[in-house]
């Protein structure tokens, strides 16, 4: 049969975020004159499902914590050569951070950690900033040798006040030490010459 080409992508229900911005964050793109150069016009059912998550993540990065893609309707032309996709979006309300806390185990005070991350009470809730804060907190413990420290963000939204309570739970785990360092492929340079240039030696704390 004919290869189906994606000829139309439409968004419904998006009043707070423009079509252009939503369109720039998804894989499914309409066919156009130079589609061969960027892969536009291809229809992939799996990509449509991923696009629903991409759209929801986009909204979460603008504070719309409860935004959902209600459905994605896919329709074909009579000869099944053309595809149209309509995404129906429920935006919800914008949420703001009300309280940001860190539950930690020694090494750092809560305030020391809060000073390092870019999430603050009163800010719009932005998913990407929360994810970035999580990585920063993990890196802080990694600098002390706890490279497998776990950080769990607890996000508690209040739909009535449109505010979010955010708590980072930190479990540092165990310190990691270098038992053995192996150097491979060095046929022209001796091990000891290379080892003199390393910042970490066997027995050292791994950070």
């Amino acid at each position: 049969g004919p290869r189906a080409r994606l000829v139309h992508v439409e968004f419904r229900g998006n009043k707070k975020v423009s079509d252009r911005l939503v369109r720039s964050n998804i894989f499914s793109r309409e066919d156009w004159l130079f589609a061969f150069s960027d892969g536009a016009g291809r229809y992939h059912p799996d990509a449509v499902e991923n696009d629903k998550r991409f759209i929801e993540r986009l909204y979460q990065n603008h504070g719309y914590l409860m935004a959902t893609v209600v459905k994605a309707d896919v329709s074909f032309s009579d000869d099944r050569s053309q595809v149209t996709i309509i995404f129906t979006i429920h935006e919800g309300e914008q949420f703001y951070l009300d309280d940001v806390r860190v539950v930690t185990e020694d090494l750092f005070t809560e305030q020391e950690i809060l000073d390092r991350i870019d999430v603050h009470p009163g800010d719009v809730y932005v998913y990407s900033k929360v994810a970035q804060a999580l990585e920063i907190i993990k890196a802080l413990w990694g600098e002390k040798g706890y490279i497998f420290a776990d950080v769990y963000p607890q996000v508690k939204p209040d739909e009535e006040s449109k505010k979010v309570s955010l708590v980072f739970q930190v479990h540092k785990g165990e310190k990691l030490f270098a038992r053995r360092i192996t150097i491979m492929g060095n046929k022209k340079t001796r091990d000891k010459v290379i080892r003199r240039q390393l910042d970490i030696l066997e027995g050292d704390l791994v950070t």
Side-chain angles (χ1 to χ4, degrees):
R3 171 175 287 182
R5 303 296 295 173
L6 181 56
V7 297
H8 183 63
V9 178
E10 185 178 334
F11 308 102
R12 295 179 180 175
N14 57 313
K15 299 177 181 178
K16 311 286 178 58
V17 179
S18 69
D19 281 13
R20 182 178 180 180
L21 183 56
V22 178
R23 200 181 304 277
S24 67
N25 278 268
I26 63 175
F27 175 83
S28 302
R29 287 167 291 162
E30 298 170 351
D31 196 12
W32 67 301
L33 182 61
F34 295 104
F36 64 86
S37 66
D38 63 3
R42 296 177 183 175
Y43 167 63
H44 297 287
D46 291 343
V48 175
E49 289 303 309
N50 287 333
D51 286 341
K52 291 164 67 175
R53 290 189 286 272
F54 293 154
I55 293 170
E56 290 173 354
R57 185 57 49 81
L58 168 67
Y59 270 90
Q60 290 172 10
N61 280 333
H62 286 77
Y64 297 95
L65 188 58
M66 301 298 184
T68 58
V69 178
V70 179
K71 57 182 178 178
D73 293 317
V74 179
S75 59
F76 293 84
S77 61
D78 292 340
D79 63 358
R80 302 188 69 79
S81 66
Q82 297 184 342
V83 185
T84 295
I85 304 174
I86 300 175
F87 293 97
T88 302
I89 303 167
H90 173 70
E91 293 181 315
E93 298 294 329
Q94 198 171 41
F95 281 72
Y96 291 80
L97 288 168
D98 180 45
D99 183 33
V100 181
R101 294 181 51 238
V102 181
V103 178
T104 178
E105 303 174 23
D106 55 43
L107 292 182
F108 302 98
T109 66
E110 181 180 33
Q111 192 57 51
E112 284 177 324
I113 299 171
L114 291 175
D115 289 342
R116 299 285 191 96
I117 61 178
D118 189 24
V119 286
H120 312 285
D123 290 352
V124 171
Y125 174 88
V126 177
Y127 173 85
S128 60
K129 286 189 175 183
V130 174
Q132 184 184 49
L134 186 149
E135 293 302 321
I136 290 172
I137 295 171
K138 289 180 67 173
L140 285 174
W141 262 265
E143 290 171 6
K144 300 294 184 181
Y146 298 96
I147 66 171
F148 293 119
D150 290 318
V151 183
Y152 304 97
Q154 296 180 347
V155 181
K156 298 179 180 179
D158 185 333
E159 293 192 53
E160 191 171 317
S161 66
K162 304 299 182 290
K163 292 183 178 180
V164 177
S165 175
L166 176 62
V167 180
F168 292 99
Q169 293 272 357
V170 182
H171 300 287
K172 64 184 181 183
E174 300 294 330
K175 285 185 177 181
L176 195 69
F177 295 86
R179 183 181 64 178
R180 181 185 299 118
I181 297 174
T182 304
I183 301 167
M184 303 175 67
N186 52 316
K187 296 179 180 180
K188 297 182 179 180
T189 307
R190 291 184 178 184
D191 266 28
K192 64 179 182 180
V193 175
I194 296 175
R195 288 176 188 273
R196 284 201 296 264
Q197 305 301 316
L198 300 180
D199 289 330
I200 186 169
L201 302 174
E202 291 170 349
D204 283 358
L205 185 68
V206 177
T207 67

